[in-house]
Each structure stands twice: as structure tokens, then as C-alpha cells.
Coordinates of all heavy atoms in Angstrom, one line a residue:
M124 N 5.9 29.5 21.3 CA 7.3 29.4 21.3 C 7.8 29.8 22.7 O 7.4 30.7 23.3 CB 7.7 30.4 20.3 CG 9.2 30.5 20.1 SD 9.8 31.7 18.9 CE 11.4 32.1 19.5
S125 N 8.7 28.9 23.2 CA 9.3 29.1 24.5 C 10.8 28.8 24.4 O 11.3 28.3 23.5 CB 8.8 28.1 25.5 OG 8.8 26.8 25.0
L126 N 11.5 29.3 25.5 CA 12.9 29.0 25.6 C 13.2 27.7 26.3 O 12.7 27.4 27.4 CB 13.6 30.3 26.2 CG 13.6 31.6 25.4 CD1 14.1 32.7 26.3 CD2 14.4 31.4 24.2
V127 N 14.1 27.0 25.8 CA 14.5 25.7 26.3 C 16.0 25.7 26.6 O 16.8 26.0 25.7 CB 14.2 24.5 25.3 CG1 14.5 23.2 25.9 CG2 12.7 24.5 25.0
P128 N 16.4 25.4 27.8 CA 17.8 25.4 28.1 C 18.5 24.1 27.5 O 18.0 23.0 27.5 CB 17.9 25.3 29.7 CG 16.6 24.7 30.0 CD 15.6 25.1 29.0
C129 N 19.7 24.3 26.9 CA 20.4 23.3 26.2 C 20.9 22.3 27.3 O 21.3 22.6 28.3 CB 21.6 23.9 25.5 SG 22.7 22.6 24.8
K130 N 20.7 21.0 27.0 CA 21.1 19.9 28.0 C 22.6 19.8 28.0 O 23.1 19.3 29.1 CB 20.5 18.5 27.5 CG 19.0 18.5 27.7 CD 18.5 17.1 27.2 CE 17.0 17.1 27.3 NZ 16.5 15.8 26.6
E131 N 23.3 20.4 27.0 CA 24.7 20.2 27.0 C 25.4 21.4 27.6 O 26.3 21.2 28.5 CB 25.2 20.0 25.5 CG 26.5 19.5 25.4 CD 26.7 18.0 25.8 OE1 25.7 17.3 26.0 OE2 27.9 17.6 26.1
C132 N 25.0 22.7 27.2 CA 25.7 23.8 27.7 C 24.9 24.8 28.5 O 25.4 25.7 29.1 CB 26.4 24.6 26.6 SG 25.1 25.3 25.4
G133 N 23.5 24.5 28.5 CA 22.7 25.4 29.4 C 22.2 26.6 28.7 O 21.5 27.4 29.4
V134 N 22.6 27.0 27.6 CA 22.3 28.1 26.8 C 20.8 28.0 26.5 O 20.3 26.9 26.0 CB 23.1 28.5 25.6 CG1 22.5 29.4 24.6 CG2 24.5 28.8 26.0
L135 N 20.0 29.1 26.6 CA 18.6 29.1 26.3 C 18.4 29.2 24.7 O 19.0 30.1 24.1 CB 17.8 30.3 26.9 CG 17.7 30.1 28.4 CD1 17.1 31.4 29.0 CD2 16.8 29.0 28.8
N136 N 17.6 28.3 24.2 CA 17.4 28.3 22.8 C 15.9 28.3 22.5 O 15.0 27.8 23.3 CB 17.9 27.1 22.1 CG 19.5 27.0 22.2 OD1 20.1 27.7 21.4 ND2 20.1 26.3 23.0
S137 N 15.5 28.7 21.3 CA 14.0 28.6 21.0 C 13.6 27.1 20.9 O 14.4 26.2 20.4 CB 13.9 29.3 19.7 OG 12.7 28.7 19.0
S138 N 12.4 26.8 21.4 CA 11.9 25.4 21.3 C 11.7 25.0 19.9 O 11.6 23.8 19.6 CB 10.6 25.3 22.1 OG 9.6 26.2 21.5
E139 N 11.7 26.0 19.0 CA 11.5 25.6 17.5 C 12.9 25.3 16.9 O 12.9 24.7 15.8 CB 10.9 26.7 16.8 CG 9.4 26.9 17.1 CD 8.7 28.2 16.4 OE1 9.4 28.8 15.6 OE2 7.6 28.5 16.8
A140 N 13.9 25.7 17.6 CA 15.3 25.3 17.0 C 15.6 23.9 17.2 O 15.2 23.3 18.2 CB 16.3 26.1 17.8
E141 N 16.2 23.4 16.2 CA 16.5 21.9 16.2 C 17.8 21.6 16.9 O 17.9 20.5 17.5 CB 16.5 21.3 14.8 CG 15.1 21.3 14.2 CD 15.0 20.3 13.0 OE1 16.0 19.7 12.6 OE2 13.8 20.1 12.7
I142 N 18.7 22.6 16.8 CA 20.0 22.4 17.4 C 20.4 23.6 18.2 O 19.9 24.6 18.0 CB 21.2 22.0 16.4 CG1 21.3 23.1 15.3 CG2 20.9 20.8 15.8 CD1 22.6 23.2 14.6
C143 N 21.2 23.4 19.3 CA 21.7 24.5 20.1 C 22.5 25.5 19.3 O 23.4 25.0 18.6 CB 22.4 24.0 21.3 SG 23.2 25.2 22.3
L144 N 22.2 26.8 19.4 CA 22.9 27.8 18.6 C 24.4 27.9 19.2 O 25.3 28.4 18.5 CB 22.3 29.2 18.7 CG 20.9 29.2 18.1 CD1 20.3 30.5 18.3 CD2 21.1 29.1 16.5
S145 N 24.6 27.5 20.4 CA 26.0 27.6 21.1 C 26.8 26.3 20.7 O 27.9 26.5 20.2 CB 25.8 27.9 22.5 OG 27.1 27.9 23.1
C146 N 26.3 25.3 21.0 CA 27.1 24.0 20.8 C 26.6 23.1 19.8 O 27.2 22.0 19.6 CB 27.3 23.3 22.2 SG 25.8 22.5 22.7
E147 N 25.6 23.3 19.2 CA 24.9 22.5 18.1 C 24.5 21.2 18.6 O 24.3 20.3 17.8 CB 25.9 22.4 17.0 CG 26.3 23.7 16.3 CD 27.1 23.6 15.0 OE1 27.7 22.5 14.8 OE2 27.2 24.5 14.3
F148 N 24.2 21.0 19.9 CA 23.6 19.9 20.5 C 22.2 19.8 20.1 O 21.4 20.8 20.1 CB 23.7 19.9 22.0 CG 23.3 18.7 22.6 CD1 24.2 17.6 22.8 CD2 22.1 18.6 23.3 CE1 23.8 16.4 23.4 CE2 21.6 17.4 23.9 CZ 22.5 16.3 23.9
P149 N 21.7 18.6 19.6 CA 20.3 18.5 19.1 C 19.3 18.7 20.4 O 19.4 18.0 21.3 CB 20.2 17.1 18.6 CG 21.4 16.4 19.1 CD 22.4 17.4 19.4
I150 N 18.4 19.7 20.2 CA 17.5 20.1 21.4 C 16.4 19.1 21.3 O 16.0 18.6 22.4 CB 17.0 21.5 21.2 CG1 18.1 22.5 21.4 CG2 15.8 21.8 22.2 CD1 17.9 23.9 20.9
K151 N 15.9 18.8 20.3 CA 14.6 17.9 20.2 C 15.0 16.5 20.3 O 14.2 15.7 20.5 CB 13.9 18.2 18.9 CG 13.1 19.6 18.9 CD 12.4 19.8 17.7 CE 11.7 21.2 17.7 NZ 11.1 21.5 16.4
G152 N 16.2 16.2 20.1 CA 16.7 14.8 20.2 C 16.4 14.0 18.9 O 16.6 12.8 18.9
R153 N 15.8 14.6 17.9 CA 15.5 13.8 16.8 C 16.8 13.3 16.0 O 16.8 12.1 15.6 CB 14.7 14.8 15.8 CG 13.6 14.0 15.0 CD 12.9 14.9 14.1 NE 11.8 15.6 14.7 CZ 11.3 16.6 14.2 NH1 11.6 17.1 13.0 NH2 10.4 17.3 14.8
P154 N 17.8 14.1 15.8 CA 19.0 13.6 15.1 C 19.6 12.6 15.9 O 20.2 11.7 15.5 CB 19.9 14.9 15.0 CG 19.0 16.1 15.1 CD 17.9 15.6 16.1
K155 N 19.5 12.6 17.4 CA 20.1 11.7 18.2 C 19.5 10.4 18.0 O 20.2 9.4 17.9 CB 20.0 12.2 19.6 CG 21.1 11.7 20.6 CD 20.8 12.2 22.0 CE 21.8 11.5 23.0 NZ 21.4 11.9 24.3
T156 N 18.2 10.2 18.0 CA 17.5 9.0 17.8 C 17.8 8.4 16.4 O 18.0 7.2 16.3 CB 16.0 9.2 18.0 OG1 15.5 10.3 17.3 CG2 15.5 9.3 19.4
N157 N 17.9 9.3 15.4 CA 18.3 8.9 14.1 C 19.7 8.3 14.1 O 19.9 7.2 13.5 CB 18.3 10.1 13.1 CG 17.2 10.1 12.1 OD1 16.5 9.1 12.1 ND2 17.1 11.2 11.4
G158 N 20.5 8.9 14.9 CA 22.0 8.3 15.1 C 21.9 7.0 15.7 O 22.6 6.0 15.3
F159 N 21.1 6.8 16.7 CA 21.0 5.5 17.4 C 20.4 4.5 16.5 O 20.9 3.4 16.6 CB 20.1 5.7 18.6 CG 20.8 6.1 19.9 CD1 20.4 7.3 20.6 CD2 21.7 5.3 20.4 CE1 21.1 7.6 21.8 CE2 22.4 5.6 21.6 CZ 22.1 6.8 22.2
R160 N 19.5 4.9 15.6 CA 19.0 3.9 14.7 C 20.1 3.5 13.7 O 20.2 2.3 13.4 CB 17.9 4.6 13.8 CG 17.0 3.7 13.1 CD 15.9 4.3 12.3 NE 14.9 4.8 13.1 CZ 13.7 5.4 12.8 NH1 13.6 5.8 11.5 NH2 12.8 5.8 13.6
W161 N 21.0 4.4 13.3 CA 22.0 4.0 12.4 C 23.1 3.1 13.1 O 23.6 2.2 12.5 CB 22.8 5.3 11.9 CG 22.0 5.8 10.7 CD1 21.2 7.0 10.6 CD2 21.9 5.3 9.3 NE1 20.7 7.2 9.4 CE2 21.1 6.1 8.6 CE3 22.5 4.1 8.8 CZ2 20.9 5.9 7.2 CZ3 22.2 3.8 7.4 CH2 21.5 4.7 6.7
I162 N 23.3 3.4 14.4 CA 24.3 2.6 15.1 C 23.7 1.3 15.3 O 24.4 0.3 15.2 CB 24.6 3.4 16.5 CG1 25.3 4.6 16.3 CG2 25.2 2.4 17.5 CD1 25.4 5.6 17.5
A163 N 22.4 1.2 15.6 CA 21.8 -0.1 15.8 C 21.9 -1.0 14.5 O 22.2 -2.1 14.4 CB 20.3 0.1 16.2
L164 N 21.7 -0.2 13.3 CA 21.7 -0.9 12.1 C 23.2 -1.4 11.8 O 23.4 -2.5 11.3 CB 21.3 0.1 11.0 CG 20.6 -0.5 9.8 CD1 19.2 0.2 9.5 CD2 21.5 -0.5 8.5
L165 N 24.1 -0.5 12.1 CA 25.5 -0.8 11.8 C 25.9 -2.0 12.7 O 26.6 -2.9 12.3 CB 26.4 0.4 12.1 CG 26.6 1.4 11.1 CD1 27.1 2.7 11.5 CD2 27.4 0.8 9.8
L166 N 25.6 -2.0 14.0 CA 25.8 -3.1 14.9 C 25.2 -4.4 14.4 O 25.8 -5.5 14.4 CB 25.2 -2.8 16.3 CG 26.1 -2.0 17.3 CD1 25.3 -1.6 18.5 CD2 27.3 -2.9 17.7
L167 N 24.0 -4.3 13.8 CA 23.3 -5.4 13.3 C 24.1 -6.0 12.1 O 24.3 -7.3 12.0 CB 21.9 -5.1 12.8 CG 20.8 -6.2 13.1 CD1 19.6 -5.4 13.7 CD2 20.4 -6.8 11.8
V168 N 24.6 -5.1 11.3 CA 25.4 -5.5 10.1 C 26.7 -6.2 10.6 O 27.2 -7.3 10.2 CB 25.7 -4.4 9.2 CG1 26.8 -4.7 8.1 CG2 24.3 -3.9 8.5
F169 N 27.4 -5.5 11.7 CA 28.7 -6.0 12.1 C 28.5 -7.3 12.8 O 29.4 -8.1 12.8 CB 29.3 -4.9 13.0 CG 30.1 -3.9 12.1 CD1 29.7 -2.6 12.2 CD2 31.2 -4.2 11.4 CE1 30.3 -1.6 11.3 CE2 31.9 -3.4 10.6 CZ 31.5 -2.0 10.6
L170 N 27.5 -7.4 13.6 CA 27.3 -8.6 14.4 C 26.7 -9.7 13.6 O 27.1 -10.9 13.7 CB 26.4 -8.4 15.7 CG 27.1 -7.4 16.7 CD1 26.1 -7.0 17.8 CD2 28.3 -8.0 17.4
G171 N 25.7 -9.4 12.7 CA 25.0 -10.3 11.9 C 25.8 -10.8 10.8 O 25.6 -11.9 10.3
G172 N 26.7 -9.9 10.2 CA 27.5 -10.2 9.0 C 28.4 -11.4 9.3 O 28.3 -12.4 8.5
P173 N 29.2 -11.4 10.3 CA 30.1 -12.6 10.6 C 29.3 -13.9 10.8 O 29.8 -15.0 10.4 CB 30.8 -12.1 11.8 CG 30.8 -10.7 11.8 CD 29.6 -10.3 11.2
V174 N 28.2 -13.8 11.4 CA 27.3 -14.9 11.7 C 26.8 -15.6 10.4 O 26.9 -16.7 10.1 CB 26.1 -14.6 12.6 CG1 25.1 -15.7 12.7 CG2 26.6 -14.3 14.0
L175 N 26.4 -14.6 9.4 CA 26.0 -15.0 8.1 C 27.1 -15.7 7.4 O 26.9 -16.7 6.8 CB 25.4 -13.8 7.4 CG 24.2 -14.1 6.5 CD1 23.0 -13.3 6.9 CD2 24.6 -13.8 5.1
I176 N 28.3 -15.0 7.4 CA 29.4 -15.5 6.7 C 29.9 -16.9 7.2 O 30.2 -17.8 6.6 CB 30.7 -14.5 6.7 CG1 30.3 -13.2 5.9 CG2 32.0 -15.1 6.2 CD1 31.0 -12.0 6.2
G177 N 29.9 -16.9 8.6 CA 30.2 -18.2 9.3 C 29.2 -19.3 8.9 O 29.8 -20.5 8.7
S178 N 28.0 -19.1 8.9 CA 27.0 -20.2 8.5 C 27.3 -20.5 7.0 O 27.2 -21.7 6.7 CB 25.6 -19.7 8.7 OG 25.4 -18.5 7.8
V179 N 27.6 -19.6 6.1 CA 27.9 -19.9 4.8 C 29.1 -20.7 4.7 O 29.2 -21.7 3.9 CB 28.0 -18.6 3.9 CG1 28.7 -18.9 2.6 CG2 26.7 -17.9 3.7
Q180 N 30.2 -20.4 5.5 CA 31.5 -21.1 5.4 C 31.3 -22.6 6.0 O 31.9 -23.5 5.4 CB 32.5 -20.5 6.4 CG 33.2 -19.3 5.6 CD 34.3 -18.6 6.4 OE1 34.1 -18.6 7.6 NE2 35.2 -17.9 5.8
T181 N 30.4 -22.7 7.0 CA 30.1 -24.1 7.5 C 29.5 -25.0 6.5 O 29.7 -26.1 6.3 CB 29.3 -24.1 8.8 OG1 28.3 -23.1 8.7 CG2 30.2 -23.7 10.0
I182 N 28.5 -24.3 5.7 CA 27.9 -25.0 4.6 C 28.9 -25.4 3.5 O 28.9 -26.5 3.0 CB 26.8 -24.1 4.0 CG1 25.6 -24.0 5.0 CG2 26.2 -24.7 2.7 CD1 24.6 -22.9 4.7
M183 N 29.8 -24.5 3.2 CA 30.8 -24.8 2.2 C 31.8 -25.8 2.7 O 32.1 -26.7 1.9 CB 31.6 -23.4 1.9 CG 30.8 -22.3 1.2 SD 30.2 -22.8 -0.4 CE 31.7 -22.3 -1.4
T184 N 32.1 -25.8 3.9 CA 33.0 -26.9 4.4 C 32.4 -28.2 4.6 O 33.0 -29.3 4.4 CB 33.7 -26.4 5.9 OG1 32.6 -26.0 6.6 CG2 34.8 -25.5 5.7
N185 N 31.1 -28.2 4.8 CA 30.3 -29.4 4.8 C 30.1 -30.0 3.4 O 30.1 -31.2 3.2 CB 28.9 -29.2 5.4 CG 29.0 -29.1 6.9 OD1 29.8 -29.6 7.5 ND2 27.9 -28.5 7.5
L186 N 30.2 -29.1 2.4 CA 30.0 -29.6 1.0 C 31.3 -30.1 0.4 O 31.5 -30.9 -0.4 CB 29.4 -28.5 0.1 CG 28.0 -28.2 0.3 CD1 27.6 -26.9 -0.4 CD2 27.0 -29.4 -0.1
R187 N 32.5 -29.3 0.9 CA 33.8 -29.6 0.4 C 34.3 -31.0 0.5 O 34.9 -31.6 -0.5 CB 34.8 -28.6 1.0 CG 35.9 -28.2 0.1 CD 36.8 -27.1 0.6 NE 36.2 -25.8 0.5 CZ 36.6 -24.7 1.0 NH1 37.6 -24.6 1.9 NH2 36.1 -23.6 0.7
P188 N 34.2 -31.7 1.7 CA 34.8 -33.1 1.8 C 34.3 -34.0 0.7 O 35.0 -34.8 0.2 CB 34.3 -33.5 3.1 CG 34.2 -32.3 4.0 CD 33.7 -31.3 3.0
Q189 N 32.9 -33.9 0.4 CA 32.4 -34.8 -0.7 C 33.1 -34.5 -2.0 O 33.4 -35.4 -2.8 CB 30.9 -34.4 -0.9 CG 30.2 -34.9 0.4 CD 28.7 -34.6 0.4 OE1 28.2 -33.8 -0.5 NE2 27.9 -35.1 1.3
A190 N 33.3 -33.1 -2.3 CA 34.0 -32.8 -3.6 C 35.5 -33.2 -3.6 O 35.9 -33.8 -4.6 CB 34.0 -31.3 -3.7
E191 N 36.1 -33.2 -2.3 CA 37.5 -33.5 -2.3 C 37.7 -35.1 -2.5 O 38.6 -35.7 -3.1 CB 38.1 -33.1 -1.0 CG 38.6 -31.7 -1.0 CD 39.0 -31.2 0.4 OE1 39.1 -32.0 1.3 OE2 39.3 -30.0 0.4
K192 N 36.6 -35.8 -1.9 CA 36.7 -37.2 -2.1 C 36.6 -37.7 -3.5 O 37.2 -38.5 -4.0 CB 35.4 -37.9 -1.4 CG 35.8 -38.3 0.1 CD 34.6 -38.9 0.9 CE 34.9 -39.0 2.3 NZ 33.6 -39.5 3.1
G193 N 35.7 -36.9 -4.2 CA 35.5 -37.2 -5.7 C 36.8 -37.0 -6.4 O 37.2 -37.8 -7.3
T194 N 37.6 -35.9 -6.1 CA 38.8 -35.6 -6.8 C 39.9 -36.6 -6.4 O 40.8 -37.0 -7.2 CB 39.3 -34.3 -6.6 OG1 39.3 -34.0 -5.1 CG2 38.5 -33.2 -7.3
Q195 N 39.9 -37.2 -5.1 CA 40.9 -38.0 -4.6 C 40.7 -39.4 -5.2 O 41.6 -40.2 -5.2 CB 40.8 -38.1 -3.1 CG 41.7 -36.9 -2.4 CD 41.5 -36.9 -0.9 OE1 40.8 -37.7 -0.4 NE2 42.1 -36.0 -0.2
Q196 N 39.6 -39.7 -5.6 CA 39.3 -41.1 -6.2 C 39.8 -41.2 -7.6 O 40.0 -42.3 -8.1 CB 37.8 -41.3 -6.1 CG 37.4 -41.8 -4.7 CD 35.8 -42.0 -4.6 OE1 35.1 -41.7 -5.5 NE2 35.4 -42.4 -3.5
N197 N 40.0 -40.2 -8.3 CA 40.6 -40.2 -9.7 C 42.0 -39.6 -9.7 O 42.1 -38.5 -10.5 CB 39.7 -39.5 -10.7 CG 38.2 -39.6 -10.4 OD1 37.7 -40.6 -9.9 ND2 37.6 -38.5 -10.5
P198 N 43.0 -40.1 -9.1 CA 44.3 -39.5 -9.4 C 45.1 -40.1 -10.7 O 44.7 -41.0 -11.1 CB 45.2 -39.9 -8.1 CG 44.4 -41.0 -7.4 CD 43.1 -41.2 -8.2
Ligands
LIG378 ZN1 24.3 23.9 23.9

């Protein structure tokens, strides 16, 4: 067990502590990497979602003219 200075406020904390007792900054960085993973996942959903919806809409618009032609032929 050793003392580790907090990267955020410089207060010495136990190396066994997961967060700084003074500012609650994660010492081991584990929650931070977890956060980055979630941010990456959210970015993937936000960036990938519209692309997926866009591709579905292009497929739907490609299918629609055929259906509209069918309805226009029987007025
Ligand atoms: Zn701190």
C-alpha cells in the first residue's frame, strides 16, 4: 500500500482507493475508461443510427415508386 497523489487536486490518497477522497477523481482510471467505452458506444449509436435509418429510407424510397405506379394505373 502506497500513497498516490491525485492527478486532479494533488491530495495524497491510498493506492487502494478507487477515487480521490478530496475531489472524487478516479485514481486508478477504471471508471474513466468505462466512461470512454460508454461514450464510444453512444457515439456509435448516434453516428450509426442515422446511417442505418438513411439506408432503410433509401430502400423504402426505391420500393415506393413501384407501389405508386401500381396505384396510379388504377384510378
Ligand atoms: Zn483529488
Side-chain angles (χ1 to χ4, degrees):
M124 184 179 151
S125 57
L126 289 174
V127 180
C129 172
K130 285 175 186 174
E131 196 68 15
C132 67
V134 166
L135 289 170
N136 294 283
S137 158
S138 60
E139 287 176 13
E141 289 199 354
I142 57 162
C143 173
L144 293 171
S145 178
C146 70
E147 297 184 347
F148 184 83
I150 292 162
K151 289 179 180 176
R153 213 182 281 162
K155 206 181 173 185
T156 46
N157 251 351
F159 270 121
R160 195 179 284 178
W161 277 108
I162 289 163
L164 211 131
L165 279 169
L166 273 171
L167 218 134
V168 168
F169 276 114
L170 294 173
V174 170
L175 213 121
I176 290 161
S178 60
V179 167
Q180 277 179 338
T181 42
I182 290 162
M183 292 296 274
T184 45
N185 282 340
L186 290 169
R187 209 172 279 169
Q189 291 176 351
E191 278 175 3
K192 269 181 189 172
T194 50
Q195 277 173 0
Q196 276 171 357
N197 330 311

